[in-house]
Amino acid sequence: MSVTEEPRAWWRDAVIYEVAAISFQDSNGDGYGDLPGLLQRIDYLKWLGVGAVWLTPVYKSPDQDFGYDISDFSAIDARYGTMDDFDRVKEALHEAGIKLVLDFVPNHTSDRHVWFHESRVSRDNPKADWYVWAEAGANGGPPNNWLSRFGGSGWEWCESRRQFYYHSFLPSQPDLNWRNEQVRRAMAGVLRLWLDRGVDGFRVDASAVLIKDDLLRDNPADPEAGDSTPPPQRYTPVFTDDRPEAMGCIEYIRSILDEYDARLLCGEVQGKTDRIGHFYGNDKPRLHLPLNFALLDTEWNAIALQATIDAYFNAIPDGGWPNFVIGGHDKRRVATKLGQAQARILAMLLMTIRGTPIIFAGDEIGSQQVKIPPEKIRDPFEKFVKGFGLNRDPERAPLRWDATERGGFTTGDPWLPLSEDRSCSIETARRDERSLLHLYRELIALRGCEPCLLRGEYLPMRAHNDIFSFARVLDQVQILVGLNLCREPRLWEWRGNGIRLMTSYLDREQAKLVGPTHLRPNEGLVIKLNR
């Protein structure tokens, strides 16, 4: 099978909306979002126009790491509801024309998983080799210098086996041994269980770290690391991340999805933009969508933006499909970085550039980082690697649906504090027809009715005068997008004549235009040229 996909694969047209169930909607007043709560809000998702929901883990878990420590891949955690609740959510989404993509966590399990209980019993157990075990080092300590992302050594001693096991994350998250064929088959069974249940795809967590160096070679010190570098990042993870063998694991996962029709495989990948093409695959397909966070990481000015986007498109292999992610459960809220005015520019860029847009619940109303008091901190990153600004709780705070004290999210005490800015809520934004929320809705609708924005080629233009601009071209149709990235008026020097389809201000109807055009401060403009 070629990496070239069908031109109308659903994920090419869909806007993907990440939902962290724990923070989306609580139905029973316990302060935690749940599946029945999500079910209550599907009408909103349909109104917004998203094409798919990416759901963070709702599997059975001790919840020491946002549910990414899974103790049973085949069960729903009671805090989120039941398997019947899950089925109702899936069916309601499908009835609304919305696909369901689940988080898949193949790198590790919880230490409470039955597989690990068996593996740690003895070296002779049938599952003894299901995790990454190693003998102590010469001094009786860890086998090498590999570090956990959450601080300290990545190795934990197990007295019953008289060996160390490796954990890329928390000690309670032992890494599975993907060199073991039985592990691969077991994870294939997990995938098939959910695919048979009707899910439309998976987002693979930590997909680049599935295989570690079999010689257990030490990682080299990062020569650029300094006092401001978090301790877990002071070594270059040459022997723990993005090993060539990991690509075989991704190919295996993809082969399971390809047993089913029209299923999506996207994934969290490591490394710089120039490495992203690696994850699409060559003769053997890998990810349909290696998730691209370049818009979050770039400096926000026209010169830097054109370089970032050009480098990304150049890195995608023939037949690969681009995507742009502007938020996530472990990414700082983009509206905090850009401010509300430029968040509108980002929305217009995201919905008009070639590729699949991916947003995190709350991005559509400009949600910002929420201040979390020290006593309320939940994130193990902040608990164990203190003082480096790694806390991810501020972006994981519950979604504010209205301006009440508990934000329409819960009738109880929310698991994390809500934003104190009560004006930034979905209810308030829905009442304001020029809000960022309505801009997202209008842009999503525009994508749906203009095939050029879905399938057209991307033609870059030279960034000039603080304006980033480009064209989309499909057959005889050409659409121009001009984005003013500064707080002052700028002249956009496009030539020709056309129809103004939309301004980011949402205050002007469609009308004929002749270029050049003055853009107002923080204004984006979409023009369909006359041919």
Side-chain angles (χ1 to χ4, degrees), residues 109-155:
T109 70
S110 165
D111 62 355
R112 301 185 195 179
H113 198 292
V114 64
W115 297 346
F116 189 69
H117 279 297
E118 293 185 39
S119 187
R120 73 190 307 171
V121 168
S122 74
R123 302 187 189 194
D124 298 324
N125 189 278
K127 290 185 173 59
D129 194 39
W130 278 42
Y131 292 82
V132 180
W133 294 95
E135 301 294 340
N139 63 355
N144 59 24
N145 70 352
W146 295 354
L147 298 177
S148 161
R149 283 164 172 75
F150 290 147
S153 173
W155 296 96

Short mmCIF file of all heavy atoms in Angstrom, two decimals, residues 109-155:
data_model
loop_
_atom_site.label_atom_id
_atom_site.label_comp_id
_atom_site.label_asym_id
_atom_site.label_seq_id
_atom_site.Cartn_x
_atom_site.Cartn_y
_atom_site.Cartn_z
N THR A 109 2.06 1.03 30.41
CA THR A 109 0.81 0.80 31.13
C THR A 109 0.96 1.40 32.53
O THR A 109 2.02 1.90 32.90
CB THR A 109 0.50 -0.70 31.29
OG1 THR A 109 1.44 -1.28 32.22
CG2 THR A 109 0.58 -1.43 29.96
N SER A 110 -0.09 1.32 33.29
CA SER A 110 0.02 1.57 34.73
C SER A 110 0.70 0.37 35.38
O SER A 110 0.63 -0.75 34.88
CB SER A 110 -1.38 1.76 35.33
OG SER A 110 -1.33 1.67 36.75
N ASP A 111 1.37 0.62 36.51
CA ASP A 111 1.95 -0.52 37.24
C ASP A 111 0.87 -1.37 37.90
O ASP A 111 1.16 -2.42 38.47
CB ASP A 111 2.99 -0.04 38.26
CG ASP A 111 2.41 0.86 39.34
OD1 ASP A 111 1.21 1.22 39.28
OD2 ASP A 111 3.18 1.24 40.25
N ARG A 112 -0.38 -0.91 37.80
CA ARG A 112 -1.49 -1.70 38.32
C ARG A 112 -2.13 -2.58 37.25
O ARG A 112 -3.12 -3.28 37.53
CB ARG A 112 -2.54 -0.78 38.94
CG ARG A 112 -2.00 0.07 40.08
CD ARG A 112 -3.08 0.88 40.75
NE ARG A 112 -2.53 1.94 41.59
CZ ARG A 112 -3.24 2.82 42.28
NH1 ARG A 112 -4.57 2.75 42.24
NH2 ARG A 112 -2.67 3.75 43.01
N HIS A 113 -1.60 -2.53 36.05
CA HIS A 113 -2.12 -3.40 34.99
C HIS A 113 -1.75 -4.84 35.30
O HIS A 113 -0.66 -5.13 35.80
CB HIS A 113 -1.53 -2.98 33.65
CG HIS A 113 -2.29 -3.50 32.46
ND1 HIS A 113 -2.34 -4.84 32.14
CD2 HIS A 113 -3.04 -2.86 31.53
CE1 HIS A 113 -3.08 -5.00 31.06
NE2 HIS A 113 -3.52 -3.81 30.66
N VAL A 114 -2.65 -5.76 34.98
CA VAL A 114 -2.40 -7.17 35.28
C VAL A 114 -1.15 -7.68 34.56
O VAL A 114 -0.45 -8.55 35.07
CB VAL A 114 -3.64 -8.02 34.92
CG1 VAL A 114 -3.93 -7.99 33.42
CG2 VAL A 114 -3.50 -9.44 35.43
N TRP A 115 -0.85 -7.12 33.39
CA TRP A 115 0.36 -7.55 32.68
C TRP A 115 1.60 -7.27 33.52
O TRP A 115 2.50 -8.10 33.59
CB TRP A 115 0.50 -6.82 31.34
CG TRP A 115 -0.60 -7.08 30.36
CD1 TRP A 115 -1.54 -8.06 30.41
CD2 TRP A 115 -0.85 -6.33 29.17
NE1 TRP A 115 -2.38 -7.97 29.33
CE2 TRP A 115 -1.98 -6.93 28.54
CE3 TRP A 115 -0.26 -5.22 28.56
CZ2 TRP A 115 -2.50 -6.43 27.34
CZ3 TRP A 115 -0.77 -4.74 27.37
CH2 TRP A 115 -1.89 -5.34 26.77
N PHE A 116 1.65 -6.10 34.15
CA PHE A 116 2.83 -5.77 34.93
C PHE A 116 2.88 -6.57 36.22
O PHE A 116 3.96 -6.97 36.67
CB PHE A 116 2.89 -4.26 35.23
CG PHE A 116 4.19 -3.84 35.85
CD1 PHE A 116 5.37 -3.87 35.11
CD2 PHE A 116 4.26 -3.42 37.17
CE1 PHE A 116 6.58 -3.49 35.67
CE2 PHE A 116 5.47 -3.03 37.74
CZ PHE A 116 6.62 -3.07 36.98
N HIS A 117 1.72 -6.81 36.81
CA HIS A 117 1.70 -7.65 38.01
C HIS A 117 2.32 -9.01 37.71
O HIS A 117 3.10 -9.55 38.52
CB HIS A 117 0.26 -7.83 38.50
CG HIS A 117 -0.25 -6.68 39.31
ND1 HIS A 117 0.30 -6.31 40.51
CD2 HIS A 117 -1.25 -5.79 39.08
CE1 HIS A 117 -0.34 -5.26 41.00
NE2 HIS A 117 -1.29 -4.92 40.14
N GLU A 118 2.01 -9.56 36.54
CA GLU A 118 2.58 -10.86 36.18
C GLU A 118 4.06 -10.74 35.85
O GLU A 118 4.87 -11.59 36.24
CB GLU A 118 1.81 -11.45 34.99
CG GLU A 118 0.37 -11.83 35.30
CD GLU A 118 -0.30 -12.51 34.12
OE1 GLU A 118 0.37 -13.31 33.46
OE2 GLU A 118 -1.48 -12.23 33.88
N SER A 119 4.42 -9.67 35.14
CA SER A 119 5.81 -9.51 34.70
C SER A 119 6.77 -9.34 35.86
O SER A 119 7.91 -9.81 35.81
CB SER A 119 5.91 -8.32 33.75
OG SER A 119 7.19 -8.21 33.17
N ARG A 120 6.31 -8.70 36.92
CA ARG A 120 7.21 -8.40 38.03
C ARG A 120 7.34 -9.57 39.01
O ARG A 120 8.20 -9.55 39.89
CB ARG A 120 6.74 -7.15 38.76
CG ARG A 120 5.50 -7.34 39.62
CD ARG A 120 4.92 -6.03 40.13
NE ARG A 120 5.92 -5.24 40.81
CZ ARG A 120 5.72 -3.97 41.21
NH1 ARG A 120 4.56 -3.37 40.98
NH2 ARG A 120 6.67 -3.32 41.85
N VAL A 121 6.49 -10.59 38.88
CA VAL A 121 6.51 -11.71 39.83
C VAL A 121 7.85 -12.42 39.81
O VAL A 121 8.45 -12.68 40.87
CB VAL A 121 5.37 -12.70 39.51
CG1 VAL A 121 5.55 -14.00 40.29
CG2 VAL A 121 4.02 -12.08 39.83
N SER A 122 8.32 -12.77 38.62
CA SER A 122 9.59 -13.50 38.53
C SER A 122 10.10 -13.42 37.09
O SER A 122 9.36 -13.05 36.17
CB SER A 122 9.41 -14.97 38.92
OG SER A 122 8.73 -15.67 37.90
N ARG A 123 11.33 -13.79 36.90
CA ARG A 123 11.92 -13.78 35.57
C ARG A 123 11.44 -14.96 34.72
O ARG A 123 11.72 -15.03 33.53
CB ARG A 123 13.44 -13.82 35.67
CG ARG A 123 14.02 -12.67 36.48
CD ARG A 123 15.53 -12.65 36.40
NE ARG A 123 16.11 -11.70 37.34
CZ ARG A 123 17.37 -11.29 37.30
NH1 ARG A 123 18.19 -11.79 36.38
NH2 ARG A 123 17.84 -10.42 38.18
N ASP A 124 10.70 -15.89 35.33
CA ASP A 124 10.20 -17.07 34.61
C ASP A 124 8.73 -16.96 34.24
O ASP A 124 8.19 -17.85 33.58
CB ASP A 124 10.39 -18.32 35.48
CG ASP A 124 11.85 -18.59 35.80
OD1 ASP A 124 12.69 -18.32 34.92
OD2 ASP A 124 12.12 -19.03 36.93
N ASN A 125 8.10 -15.90 34.65
CA ASN A 125 6.68 -15.73 34.34
C ASN A 125 6.47 -15.63 32.83
O ASN A 125 7.32 -15.08 32.12
CB ASN A 125 6.17 -14.46 35.03
CG ASN A 125 4.66 -14.31 34.94
OD1 ASN A 125 4.14 -13.85 33.94
ND2 ASN A 125 3.97 -14.71 36.00
N PRO A 126 5.36 -16.11 32.27
CA PRO A 126 5.11 -16.00 30.83
C PRO A 126 5.16 -14.56 30.30
O PRO A 126 5.45 -14.35 29.12
CB PRO A 126 3.71 -16.60 30.67
CG PRO A 126 3.60 -17.57 31.80
CD PRO A 126 4.34 -16.93 32.94
N LYS A 127 4.90 -13.58 31.18
CA LYS A 127 4.97 -12.18 30.75
C LYS A 127 6.23 -11.49 31.27
O LYS A 127 6.30 -10.26 31.32
CB LYS A 127 3.72 -11.42 31.20
CG LYS A 127 2.44 -11.84 30.46
CD LYS A 127 1.27 -10.98 30.84
CE LYS A 127 0.04 -11.28 29.98
NZ LYS A 127 -0.44 -12.66 30.04
N ALA A 128 7.22 -12.27 31.62
CA ALA A 128 8.45 -11.71 32.19
C ALA A 128 9.10 -10.70 31.26
O ALA A 128 9.69 -9.71 31.72
CB ALA A 128 9.43 -12.83 32.53
N ASP A 129 8.99 -10.93 29.97
CA ASP A 129 9.67 -10.08 28.99
C ASP A 129 8.73 -9.06 28.34
O ASP A 129 9.05 -8.50 27.30
CB ASP A 129 10.31 -10.96 27.91
CG ASP A 129 11.31 -10.20 27.04
OD1 ASP A 129 12.04 -9.37 27.59
OD2 ASP A 129 11.33 -10.44 25.82
N TRP A 130 7.60 -8.82 28.96
CA TRP A 130 6.63 -7.88 28.37
C TRP A 130 6.99 -6.42 28.65
O TRP A 130 6.42 -5.51 28.05
CB TRP A 130 5.23 -8.18 28.89
CG TRP A 130 4.55 -9.30 28.15
CD1 TRP A 130 5.11 -10.48 27.75
CD2 TRP A 130 3.19 -9.34 27.72
NE1 TRP A 130 4.19 -11.25 27.10
CE2 TRP A 130 2.99 -10.58 27.07
CE3 TRP A 130 2.12 -8.47 27.83
CZ2 TRP A 130 1.76 -10.96 26.52
CZ3 TRP A 130 0.89 -8.83 27.29
CH2 TRP A 130 0.71 -10.06 26.64
N TYR A 131 7.91 -6.18 29.56
CA TYR A 131 8.34 -4.82 29.90
C TYR A 131 9.85 -4.73 29.73
O TYR A 131 10.53 -5.73 29.47
CB TYR A 131 7.90 -4.46 31.32
CG TYR A 131 6.39 -4.32 31.44
CD1 TYR A 131 5.58 -5.46 31.62
CD2 TYR A 131 5.76 -3.09 31.36
CE1 TYR A 131 4.20 -5.35 31.70
CE2 TYR A 131 4.38 -2.97 31.45
CZ TYR A 131 3.60 -4.10 31.62
OH TYR A 131 2.23 -3.99 31.69
N VAL A 132 10.39 -3.53 29.85
CA VAL A 132 11.82 -3.30 29.65
C VAL A 132 12.55 -3.50 30.97
O VAL A 132 12.53 -2.61 31.85
CB VAL A 132 12.08 -1.89 29.08
CG1 VAL A 132 13.58 -1.67 28.88
CG2 VAL A 132 11.33 -1.70 27.76
N TRP A 133 13.16 -4.65 31.13
CA TRP A 133 13.89 -5.01 32.35
C TRP A 133 15.39 -5.04 32.07
O TRP A 133 15.82 -5.35 30.96
CB TRP A 133 13.46 -6.38 32.85
CG TRP A 133 12.03 -6.46 33.31
CD1 TRP A 133 10.95 -6.86 32.60
CD2 TRP A 133 11.53 -6.12 34.62
NE1 TRP A 133 9.81 -6.81 33.36
CE2 TRP A 133 10.13 -6.36 34.60
CE3 TRP A 133 12.13 -5.65 35.79
CZ2 TRP A 133 9.33 -6.13 35.72
CZ3 TRP A 133 11.33 -5.43 36.90
CH2 TRP A 133 9.95 -5.67 36.86
N ALA A 134 16.19 -4.75 33.09
CA ALA A 134 17.65 -4.80 32.93
C ALA A 134 18.30 -5.06 34.27
O ALA A 134 17.76 -4.74 35.34
CB ALA A 134 18.17 -3.50 32.33
N GLU A 135 19.50 -5.65 34.20
CA GLU A 135 20.29 -5.88 35.41
C GLU A 135 20.81 -4.55 35.95
O GLU A 135 20.94 -3.56 35.21
CB GLU A 135 21.47 -6.80 35.10
CG GLU A 135 21.11 -8.17 34.54
CD GLU A 135 20.34 -9.03 35.54
OE1 GLU A 135 20.42 -8.74 36.75
OE2 GLU A 135 19.67 -9.99 35.11
N ALA A 136 21.13 -4.56 37.24
CA ALA A 136 21.72 -3.37 37.85
C ALA A 136 23.06 -3.06 37.22
O ALA A 136 23.72 -3.93 36.63
CB ALA A 136 21.88 -3.58 39.35
N GLY A 137 23.46 -1.80 37.33
CA GLY A 137 24.77 -1.41 36.84
C GLY A 137 25.87 -1.98 37.71
O GLY A 137 25.62 -2.64 38.74
N ALA A 138 27.10 -1.72 37.30
CA ALA A 138 28.26 -2.30 38.01
C ALA A 138 28.30 -1.88 39.47
O ALA A 138 28.80 -2.63 40.33
CB ALA A 138 29.55 -1.89 37.30
N ASN A 139 27.78 -0.70 39.77
CA ASN A 139 27.79 -0.22 41.15
C ASN A 139 26.52 -0.58 41.91
O ASN A 139 26.29 -0.10 43.03
CB ASN A 139 28.00 1.30 41.17
CG ASN A 139 26.86 2.05 40.49
OD1 ASN A 139 25.96 1.43 39.91
ND2 ASN A 139 26.90 3.37 40.53
N GLY A 140 25.68 -1.39 41.29
CA GLY A 140 24.42 -1.78 41.93
C GLY A 140 23.29 -0.83 41.68
O GLY A 140 22.15 -1.09 42.09
N GLY A 141 23.57 0.27 41.00
CA GLY A 141 22.55 1.27 40.70
C GLY A 141 21.90 1.02 39.34
O GLY A 141 22.00 -0.07 38.78
N PRO A 142 21.23 2.05 38.80
CA PRO A 142 20.54 1.90 37.51
C PRO A 142 21.48 1.44 36.40
O PRO A 142 22.69 1.72 36.44
CB PRO A 142 20.01 3.32 37.25
CG PRO A 142 19.87 3.94 38.60
CD PRO A 142 21.02 3.38 39.40
N PRO A 143 20.95 0.77 35.39
CA PRO A 143 21.77 0.23 34.31
C PRO A 143 22.50 1.27 33.48
O PRO A 143 23.55 0.99 32.90
CB PRO A 143 20.76 -0.54 33.45
CG PRO A 143 19.61 -0.82 34.36
CD PRO A 143 19.54 0.34 35.30
N ASN A 144 21.93 2.48 33.36
CA ASN A 144 22.57 3.54 32.58
C ASN A 144 22.02 4.89 33.02
O ASN A 144 21.34 4.99 34.05
CB ASN A 144 22.37 3.31 31.07
CG ASN A 144 20.90 3.27 30.67
OD1 ASN A 144 20.04 3.82 31.35
ND2 ASN A 144 20.60 2.61 29.56
N ASN A 145 22.29 5.94 32.21
CA ASN A 145 21.92 7.29 32.64
C ASN A 145 20.60 7.78 32.07
O ASN A 145 20.30 8.98 32.09
CB ASN A 145 23.03 8.28 32.25
CG ASN A 145 23.13 8.52 30.74
OD1 ASN A 145 22.46 7.84 29.94
ND2 ASN A 145 23.96 9.48 30.35
N TRP A 146 19.77 6.88 31.54
CA TRP A 146 18.50 7.32 30.97
C TRP A 146 17.62 7.94 32.06
O TRP A 146 17.52 7.44 33.18
CB TRP A 146 17.77 6.14 30.35
CG TRP A 146 18.47 5.54 29.16
CD1 TRP A 146 19.60 5.99 28.55
CD2 TRP A 146 18.09 4.35 28.48
NE1 TRP A 146 19.95 5.17 27.51
CE2 TRP A 146 19.04 4.14 27.43
CE3 TRP A 146 17.05 3.42 28.63
CZ2 TRP A 146 18.95 3.06 26.56
CZ3 TRP A 146 16.97 2.35 27.76
CH2 TRP A 146 17.91 2.18 26.73
N LEU A 147 16.97 9.04 31.67
CA LEU A 147 16.16 9.81 32.62
C LEU A 147 14.68 9.69 32.31
O LEU A 147 14.28 9.51 31.17
CB LEU A 147 16.57 11.29 32.58
CG LEU A 147 18.01 11.62 32.96
CD1 LEU A 147 18.27 13.12 32.80
CD2 LEU A 147 18.31 11.18 34.38
N SER A 148 13.89 9.83 33.35
CA SER A 148 12.44 9.95 33.19
C SER A 148 12.11 11.39 32.80
O SER A 148 12.75 12.33 33.28
CB SER A 148 11.74 9.60 34.50
OG SER A 148 10.42 10.11 34.52
N ARG A 149 11.10 11.56 31.99
CA ARG A 149 10.65 12.92 31.64
C ARG A 149 10.10 13.65 32.85
O ARG A 149 10.00 14.87 32.84
CB ARG A 149 9.60 12.84 30.53
CG ARG A 149 10.20 12.59 29.16
CD ARG A 149 9.14 12.13 28.17
NE ARG A 149 9.66 12.05 26.81
CZ ARG A 149 10.46 11.09 26.35
NH1 ARG A 149 10.86 10.13 27.18
NH2 ARG A 149 10.88 11.08 25.10
N PHE A 150 9.70 12.91 33.87
CA PHE A 150 9.16 13.53 35.07
C PHE A 150 10.20 13.66 36.17
O PHE A 150 9.87 13.86 37.34
CB PHE A 150 7.95 12.73 35.58
CG PHE A 150 6.75 12.84 34.68
CD1 PHE A 150 5.87 11.77 34.54
CD2 PHE A 150 6.47 13.99 33.97
CE1 PHE A 150 4.76 11.86 33.72
CE2 PHE A 150 5.36 14.10 33.14
CZ PHE A 150 4.50 13.02 33.02
N GLY A 151 11.48 13.56 35.80
CA GLY A 151 12.55 13.80 36.76
C GLY A 151 13.16 12.53 37.31
O GLY A 151 12.48 11.53 37.53
N GLY A 152 14.47 12.58 37.52
CA GLY A 152 15.19 11.47 38.11
C GLY A 152 15.48 10.36 37.11
O GLY A 152 15.21 10.47 35.91
N SER A 153 16.04 9.30 37.60
CA SER A 153 16.37 8.16 36.75
C SER A 153 15.11 7.56 36.13
O SER A 153 14.03 7.55 36.74
CB SER A 153 17.08 7.08 37.57
OG SER A 153 17.27 5.90 36.81
N GLY A 154 15.27 7.05 34.93
CA GLY A 154 14.17 6.35 34.28
C GLY A 154 14.07 4.90 34.71
O GLY A 154 13.22 4.16 34.20
N TRP A 155 14.91 4.48 35.65
CA TRP A 155 14.93 3.09 36.11
C TRP A 155 14.41 2.98 37.54
O TRP A 155 14.74 3.80 38.40
CB TRP A 155 16.34 2.53 36.03
CG TRP A 155 16.88 2.47 34.63
CD1 TRP A 155 17.68 3.39 34.01
CD2 TRP A 155 16.64 1.44 33.68
NE1 TRP A 155 17.96 2.99 32.73
CE2 TRP A 155 17.34 1.78 32.49
CE3 TRP A 155 15.91 0.24 33.70
CZ2 TRP A 155 17.33 0.99 31.35
CZ3 TRP A 155 15.90 -0.55 32.56
CH2 TRP A 155 16.59 -0.18 31.39
#
